[in-house]
Amino acid sequence: MSKAREAKAAKIRQLMETEGDAVGTSTRGFNEGRYESVQSLDDYEGLKSEARAIKEDAIERLPELIDQLRETVESNGGTLYIADDAADANRYVREVCEDKEAERVVKSKSMTSEEIEVNEDLEAADIDVVETDLGEWVLQVADESPSHIVAPAIHKSRDAIADLFNETFEPDEPLETAEELTMFAREQLGDLIEGADVGMTGANFITADTGTMALVTSEGNARKTAVVPDTHVAVAGVEKVIPTVEDLRPFVELIGKSGTGQDITSYISLLTPPVESPTVDFDAPDTPLSETETDRDFHLVLIDNGRFDMREDDQLRETLYCIRCSACSNVCANFQHVGGHAFGGETYSGGIGTGWEAGVEGLDSAAEFNDLCTGCSRCTTACPVEIDIPWINTVVRDRVNRGEVSELDWLVEGLTPDEEPGGVSLQKRFFGNFETAAKVGSFFAPVSNWAAGLGVSRDLMERFLGIDARRELPEFQRETLKDWFESRTSRVDDPVRTAVLYPDVYTNHVQVERGKAAVRALEALGVDVVVPDVRSSGRAPLSQGMIATAEDHAHDVYAGLAEHIDDGRDIVVIEPSDLAMFQSEYEKFLPEKSFERISEASYEVMEYVFGLLDNGADADALSAGAGEEIAYHSHCQQRTLGLEGHTEAVLSDLGYDVATSDVECCGMAGSFGYKSEYYELSVDVGSELRGQFQTDENRDRTVVASGTSCLEQLDSLLSRPTQHPIQLVAPRR
Amino acid sequence: MSTGTVATFEDSLERLEVGWTHASPDGLADVLEEHCPEPAVGVELPYDGVDLPDWVNTDPTPADLRGANAGVTAAGLGIADYGSVVVQGTPDGIEPVSLFGDLHIAVLRRSDIVPGMPEAFDWLGEEFRTGHSSAIIATGPSATADMGALVKGAHGPKDVHVVILDE
């Protein structure tokens, strides 16, 4: 394994051991909370679209809204400053503090202030900075960085915090319980807030009409930070401005549910500073508030730091719609196992983190963790502002590829039939061109399988391609699905419909049996089947960030299927990740009409079977379950498309007893689990699924899974054979 | 205000483990006697004919805030779906009084309970445009899970009690 890959694998391994459990427990709790909490909304999807529309409009009109905001803030008696970058923002904040002769600034957690590292800047000017969010304070005491956008100290267990406090503060009685630790922190921070000169907060939203900022917290620290000292400095990205107070409503309803699974956080502060509340001057503890001179000062510092460029960038613009709720991190199987210290850059972490890092820090920072997004798409439905996060990550990956310079360029150029520039790594190029490997593999099978399995081959593959030697390789079939199909004749006399079975790379070359089963099942239900010679969907290159190659595939696939669609044929797809290409990513590659046609004509194979049965096809033509117990794992993209229910329904109707896994991901995710730097992580993620399928209730169930990657992962995690559901229900002959 | 909305509000408070009591304007003193520990600080209520009892300190110092077991304030709005109360910042100190004690007692008119966030934000938009400078949508007590388990009372009150004034 190369040194870089070994180093990355070692870092991931270490974080899985030290922080994985704490991160996993919390993020999974947040994520399950989200599923429960959004159920209480009458129209969750409608609310998300409303939130999205507000952000789209606000970013579109940003300069105008900022002008309006400047007027309102100034007429309220505050000051608005637009900072170009971190240094500019820090200078302004420092000058405000110096004007006040401030000795101590108390801060309410703000990712934007992490981004500009204002604490370091103020401390260099001999100004004490105290984080008042309990989690953030723990990190300040421990001198660590946040690992989660909402719960910064998520990676620290209660025991670790107790050890830290006991060592640092040496309390009379050692602190132990969460209650004791919290009350200790409350006391300490209470004292520090009371003597503070300046309160600094972020701002989740700022309304242009009234200059009202919304702060979302549960602890109440933002309230104390804003109300106790007479000077309030709020630091936020320019993207936080929205038009009106009423526009806050969908966000207020969505942010807690999306983030930590709370229906609403304890406090939503809506402040139009300088606020009317009296300051609480603990230096004059016996002067009634009514006699306290309150002369509040307010500074709003809006930071550009790359955001206006992101606004001009057609691909990164969506990142600015982000409301920093962390739903994309919490739902992400990889994040659940390694947290933001691996799945993050200089400031931001998790799914949307690469977009932020690419925009505010640059591609280098984004590149460090971009590959940890496997494109599984589970975050797209979790995001309350409907951001296509995997697409942003793919774009960033593509840009990183184009920036990379490999010493093997001379070897790669010309050997791989793709549309990419020379910088793309050999590993990515290999996985992106898997179709070519599969063709060669099938042509030379079984010799190719034997040769690939040799120790020397595995060593070479590991060294040059980064394919982990511990991962079992797919076994190419000599007879492809297309070969088999061409050698037979249709068994349907009076077809009800004609369907094109899309021969994805894996079904055609590796999982040929599931293809045959699909043909038998469809024919048994009265469908005339065609298996045309069409190119692979482009999922493989897309996963590697090879967008130009993926787009090339999309045009070829559409060209290969267009006449079938014109002819009224349905496109039946076995591999969910390919169906997801047709129904989502192709929107980026094809003209609108072409995308609509292929998208509307395509069905997942079990969804199609469900539809046929629903329309009166004879279920007796399929293999009945007679109570057979099944353990079913759907597929990430299939679940995102809302299609796992069809498989469950068909199996149940046919008399199978189905238990479905509810883990977010199997951890394999296409090429990811083959790569030597990520192999161990993919196995660790998979352990959740293995756990569910190895309980007393499930251990004897027949295992079925919809996706190729899922099947391969399950094959290596379990000692039982696996198959696609269509193989279960198809007639044996 | 329909009984349905009030019942929904009460259900939401129940879910949050927030206590509530109905009181007539005349009966408020008795309700506070029962639910509000001393020493208590407070802010005079803006409702006609409704006064806080003498033992609630309505002109607190910072030291009083710190030493208070409870803070009594009005709430401008109740939001039934969430069990939230809207606490408005005022020059006489509703915000600090509601924030520093271990218990916050929010006194709310029955007619000020609205069904959900849409109604609340229609009201808030109006309030902010006509000059109010701040409001907190407070839902249950202050809480944190940062120390490894959910604990009530991080920086703000550990408990909340809502008094619904039936006029």
Side-chain angles (χ1 to χ4, degrees), chain B residues 40-44 52 56-60 65 70-73 92-94 97:
Chain B
V41 292
V43 174
E44 288 297 352
L52 291 178
V56 176
N57 174 0
T58 53
D59 190 22
L65 284 180
V72 186
T73 73
D92 54 358
I94 283 192
V97 165

Side-chain angles (χ1 to χ4, degrees), chain A residues 538-555:
Chain A
R539 169 63 66 189
L542 192 80
S543 296
Q544 309 306 316
M546 296 160 62
I547 293 180
T549 308
E551 179 166 359
D552 192 52
H553 281 244
H555 293 302

Side-chain angles (χ1 to χ4, degrees), chain B residues 78-136:
Chain B
I79 304 169
D81 281 350
Y82 290 91
S84 313
V85 294
V86 177
V87 180
Q88 287 172 289
T90 52
D92 54 358
I94 283 192
E95 168 67 342
V97 165
S98 69
L99 182 59
F100 277 83
D102 281 348
L103 169 69
H104 173 216
I105 297 189
V107 184
L108 176 74
R109 286 189 301 202
R110 181 189 172 92
S111 56
D112 289 332
I113 301 173
V114 297
M117 283 297 167
E119 296 81 5
F121 271 90
D122 286 346
W123 183 85
L124 284 163
E126 240 0 80
E127 286 287 298
F128 282 112
R129 275 186 294 271
T130 52
H132 251 290
S133 71
S134 73
I136 312 295

Side-chain angles (χ1 to χ4, degrees), chain A residues 455-679:
Chain A
V456 62
S457 315
R458 296 307 307 255
D459 283 351
L460 288 171
M461 280 191 263
E462 181 151 312
R463 189 179 316 161
F464 290 106
L465 301 174
I467 295 174
D468 200 283
R470 291 165 288 185
R471 175 67 73 186
E472 227 172 285
L473 297 175
E475 209 163 287
F476 296 110
Q477 305 299 309
R478 178 73 182 231
E479 187 188 43
T480 65
L481 178 67
K482 276 184 279 193
D483 295 341
W484 170 82
F485 187 79
E486 276 157 21
S487 67
R488 67 194 283 287
T489 47
S490 173
R491 315 264 167 97
V492 187
D493 298 328
D494 183 20
V496 288
R497 303 187 72 86
T498 304
V500 171
L501 184 70
Y502 176 69
D504 66 88
V505 176
Y506 259 85
T507 304
N508 196 34
H509 296 278
V510 182
Q511 301 264 349
V512 178
E513 287 308 316
R514 72 177 184 180
K516 294 180 185 174
V519 173
R520 289 201 304 272
L522 295 180
E523 287 184 348
L525 297 173
V527 176
D528 188 28
V529 180
V530 181
V531 181
D533 192 16
V534 192
R535 203 175 176 192
S536 67
S537 72
R539 169 63 66 189
L542 192 80
S543 296
Q544 309 306 316
M546 296 160 62
I547 293 180
T549 308
E551 179 166 359
D552 192 52
H553 281 244
H555 293 302
D556 286 351
V557 169
Y558 183 70
L561 294 176
E563 285 185 21
H564 294 286
I565 298 171
D566 289 344
D567 213 18
R569 296 174 177 179
D570 306 311
I571 313 294
V572 177
V573 185
I574 300 177
E575 179 56 39
S577 60
D578 285 334
L579 180 73
M581 284 292 280
F582 296 174
Q583 299 199 338
S584 39
E585 281 86 358
Y586 274 18
E587 191 175 4
K588 318 272 187 195
F589 300 140
L590 299 178
E592 196 180 331
K593 273 207 175 133
S594 308
F595 166 68
E596 277 170 13
R597 286 164 61 72
I598 190 168
S599 167
E600 280 163 20
S602 311
Y603 301 88
E604 194 265 343
V605 62
M606 294 299 280
E607 176 195 19
Y608 197 68
V609 168
F610 175 88
L612 291 169
L613 294 176
D614 205 36
N615 281 309
D618 183 9
D620 291 343
L622 299 177
S623 288
E628 185 180 353
E629 294 190 323
I630 305 295
Y632 172 54
H633 178 66
S634 183
H635 174 278
C636 311
Q637 277 140 352
Q638 185 184 16
R639 289 172 68 195
T640 298
L641 293 170
L643 296 175
E644 80 273 36
H646 298 99
T647 304
E648 290 171 333
V650 169
L651 292 178
S652 296
D653 289 353
L654 289 174
Y656 294 90
D657 177 285
V658 187
T660 306
S661 72
D662 64 3
V663 296
E664 288 303 335
C665 181
C666 72
M668 179 63 173
S671 59
F672 187 79
Y674 284 100
K675 294 182 177 175
S676 52
E677 60 271 46
Y678 304 120
Y679 167 80

Side-chain angles (χ1 to χ4, degrees), chain A residues 426-438:
Chain A
L426 196 53
Q427 184 191 54
K428 287 189 171 162
R429 219 155 227 184
F430 172 78
F431 284 111
N433 286 290
F434 185 69
E435 182 176 36
T436 311

